[in-house]
Amino acid sequence: MKLKLGIPKGSLENATVEISFTTGFQITTSSRSYFPAIDDPEIDCMLIRAQEMARYVEDGVLDAGLTGRDWVEESEARVETVADLIYAKQSFGKVRWVLAVPEASPFRSVNDLQGKIIATELVSATKRYLAANGVTAKVEFSWGATEVKPPELADAIVEVTETGSSLRANKLRIIETVLESNTQLIANVNSWKDEFKRRKLEDIRMLLQGAINALGKVGLMLNVEKKNLAAVLGVLPALKNPTISHLSDEDWLAVNTILDETLVRTILPRLKEAGAQGIVEYPLNKIVM
């Protein structure tokens, strides 16, 4: 028995391979092959464009795959959503498909685009968004470089963004959000009913979510005298209450906690001032809730 798993080729490829290493899976891609190697004999991988993933999963060519919720909605594929995974190619967060227009244009909302031309790669979802707002406009498929099309080739665009920097660089202004998206682990409906494949996917889901939970966080261990414990705990934020254990010296305690990596540079000096000693910071691969 094997699970046929689709890995998104393109913008999500590097983020997916990177996150897989922290889950414990070793996925190795090659520019010459569409079949990445994986160190799990029960999984076969295939590189597929995220835009096509849901269709191949729905048809059973793949048992499961990683793709954006936007492309699942665009294709209207009938698939099982196994997990929402909040990571993307840059920020490990959500992305937005936005309606954008030239900075100098008079358009302020979707209602101003009645009878206009909109260029996008997300054609079906854009048409549904326009219909929901009672707007009739011509939606043209864009093969790329969508940001450069207004105002000569289109009045507006619907484009995906994480930070908005590319839109600003092309002198475009966001007027509305059409759709929010994040990476999803999706499965073929029949594959999800198969006991072996479902268990395998549930294991992958747990490991992926654990790796994502650990992003941007570190572990912190330290020793403290009992008399200084309250002062140290007053400095420490924690995922939950810190773990406190006794050392061989009955007057000393060990404290173990998890915190955001960005806080370490400000907290370490305060911990030292509060009486903490032997402070050790260590990286985290997974946090399983």
Side-chain angles (χ1 to χ4, degrees):
M1 293 287 290
K2 287 209 173 189
L3 180 79
K4 295 177 290 184
L5 180 66
I7 305 297
K9 183 171 180 59
S11 61
L12 275 176
E13 182 179 345
N14 291 337
T16 300
V17 171
E18 181 182 337
I19 205 76
S20 73
F21 281 105
T22 59
T23 66
F25 293 107
Q26 303 291 314
I27 298 177
T28 306
T29 60
S30 168
S31 59
R32 298 182 179 181
S33 174
Y34 281 82
F35 299 93
I38 184 170
D39 63 343
D40 188 323
E42 296 179 337
I43 300 176
D44 282 337
C45 291
M46 185 175 183
L47 281 173
I48 297 288
R49 283 178 60 82
Q51 294 91 326
E52 301 176 290
M53 188 75 71
R55 177 164 56 88
Y56 287 120
V57 171
E58 179 184 36
D59 293 344
V61 177
L62 297 168
D63 293 308
L66 291 155
T67 188
R69 183 172 69 89
D70 44 4
W71 298 118
V72 177
E73 292 195 12
E74 174 71 4
S75 65
E76 298 184 273
R78 182 174 171 264
V79 295
E80 187 74 33
T81 301
V82 179
D84 277 301
L85 306 168
I86 312 300
Y87 76 99
K89 61 182 179 180
Q90 293 178 12
S91 63
F92 291 94
K94 289 189 174 185
V95 298
R96 293 186 300 151
W97 284 87
V98 297
L99 183 62
V101 297
E103 289 178 348
S105 79
F107 308 127
R108 299 295 169 188
S109 76
V110 65
N111 297 313
D112 297 328
L113 294 171
Q114 180 70 31
K116 304 299 182 182
I117 298 174
I118 302 173
T120 184
E121 192 177 356
L122 200 74
V123 173
S124 295
T126 298
K127 287 181 177 179
R128 290 195 295 271
Y129 180 77
L130 292 173
N133 285 276
V135 174
T136 301
K138 183 179 181 181
V139 181
E140 295 184 340
F141 179 77
S142 174
W143 292 94
T146 308
E147 296 99 327
V148 304
K149 294 188 173 177
E152 284 83 5
L153 302 178
D155 298 292
I157 65 170
V158 171
E159 180 66 333
V160 67
T161 183
E162 286 188 55
T163 65
S165 58
S166 179
L167 295 172
R168 290 190 295 271
N170 285 280
K171 297 185 178 354
L172 295 173
R173 169 170 47 86
I174 296 172
I175 58 174
E176 291 189 18
T177 296
V178 173
L179 175 70
E180 277 196 345
S181 180
N182 56 268
T183 306
Q184 290 187 329
L185 175 61
I186 59 172
N188 173 271
V189 172
N190 292 325
S191 297
W192 185 243
K193 295 175 182 176
D194 180 275
E195 184 178 353
F196 165 79
K197 293 177 180 179
R198 182 168 184 151
R199 173 62 64 88
K200 197 72 181 176
L201 285 167
E202 287 173 339
D203 290 348
I204 293 171
R205 174 176 62 191
M206 185 194 72
L207 293 170
L208 282 170
Q209 289 177 334
I212 290 169
N213 289 339
L215 289 172
K217 297 187 182 298
V218 295
L220 207 64
M221 296 188 298
L222 57 91
N223 297 330
V224 59
E225 283 188 276
K226 288 183 179 178
K227 65 181 182 181
N228 294 324
L229 179 61
V232 166
L233 294 182
V235 174
L236 280 176
L239 183 66
K240 291 185 178 178
N241 291 331
T243 300
I244 301 172
S245 55
H246 291 274
L247 299 178
S248 56
D249 186 331
E250 62 179 18
D251 291 327
W252 285 80
L253 300 167
V255 177
N256 198 332
T257 191
I258 294 170
L259 69 160
D260 291 336
E261 188 173 13
T262 54
L263 297 177
V264 172
R265 63 177 180 267
T266 56
I267 283 179
L268 283 186
R270 305 292 80 79
L271 288 172
K272 188 69 175 174
E273 290 172 357
Q277 295 185 23
I279 304 170
V280 177
E281 176 190 346
Y282 56 92
L284 300 172
N285 285 335
K286 287 179 280 295
I287 300 174
V288 179
M289 303 297 193

